[in-house]
Amino acid sequence: MNRQQTILIVEDNEQSRLLLRDILTHYGYAILEARTGVEGVKVARKCLPDLVLMDIQMPEMDGITATRMLKADQGTNRFTIIALTSFAMSGDREMLLEAGFDDYVAKPVDTRQLPQLLKKYLDIGRDGE
Ligand code: MN
């Protein structure tokens, strides 16, 4: 059996963070949380998650800067980082990929589509074995 995989949620909006945590724990993932880009980079370096879900607009440091930092660092540059984008940013695909994001999902997050997307990048815990 695979070890439980860990997803780091970097998101300043509490409601959004709780929703993501509920969905992802249901699918068997272990969850880490951070509320700013600075905290996200810190937790990512320390805890080495299998995948990062990264909000864009956050206090202290935005998700684009945080992702650039993680992708520039040898210890963390292989992490899969998926952007959580607002509707207004849906046209900015090129910019997100250029910043180093591996993929992106639009908020509000579709609770069925997100686990499907994660399966592309992770060995899913519960229903995909
Ligand atoms: Mn935000």
Side-chain angles (χ1 to χ4, degrees):
M1 191 176 154
N2 295 331
R3 76 186 174 85
Q4 190 176 31
Q5 297 202 291
T6 301
I7 297 175
L8 168 60
I9 301 166
V10 188
E11 163 67 84
D12 63 321
N13 182 280
E14 187 179 10
Q15 249 185 314
S16 176
R17 219 167 50 238
L18 293 178
L19 173 68
L20 289 167
R21 186 172 69 195
D22 280 356
I23 300 168
L24 298 175
T25 51
H26 173 76
Y27 279 87
Y29 296 112
I31 301 302
L32 297 164
E33 295 178 36
R35 291 160 298 178
T36 70
V38 170
E39 201 185 331
V41 169
K42 207 179 289 178
V43 175
R45 283 177 175 160
K46 188 174 167 214
C47 303
L48 309 178
D50 297 290
L51 184 142
V52 182
L53 290 174
M54 181 78 79
D55 184 29
I56 302 298
Q57 289 174 355
M58 290 182 287
E60 285 186 24
M61 182 193 290
D62 64 69
I64 291 169
T65 307
T67 295
R68 285 207 168 103
M69 283 182 73
L70 292 172
K71 291 289 182 173
D73 183 332
Q74 275 203 334
T76 55
N77 65 2
R78 283 182 302 274
F79 293 173
T80 298
I81 307 182
I82 297 178
L84 300 167
T85 68
S86 60
F87 177 74
M89 286 196 61
S90 59
D92 291 340
R93 184 172 181 279
E94 295 298 310
M95 183 275 290
L96 293 172
L97 297 180
E98 185 273 325
F101 287 101
D102 296 279
D103 215 325
Y104 61 97
V105 289
K107 292 195 286 188
V109 168
D110 184 315
T111 57
R112 285 163 195 254
Q113 274 177 5
L114 179 63
Q116 293 299 320
L117 177 72
L118 297 180
K119 273 194 205 179
K120 274 172 61 180
Y121 299 101
L122 294 169
D123 308 318
I124 193 140
R126 184 170 291 180
D127 69 356
E129 305 278 40

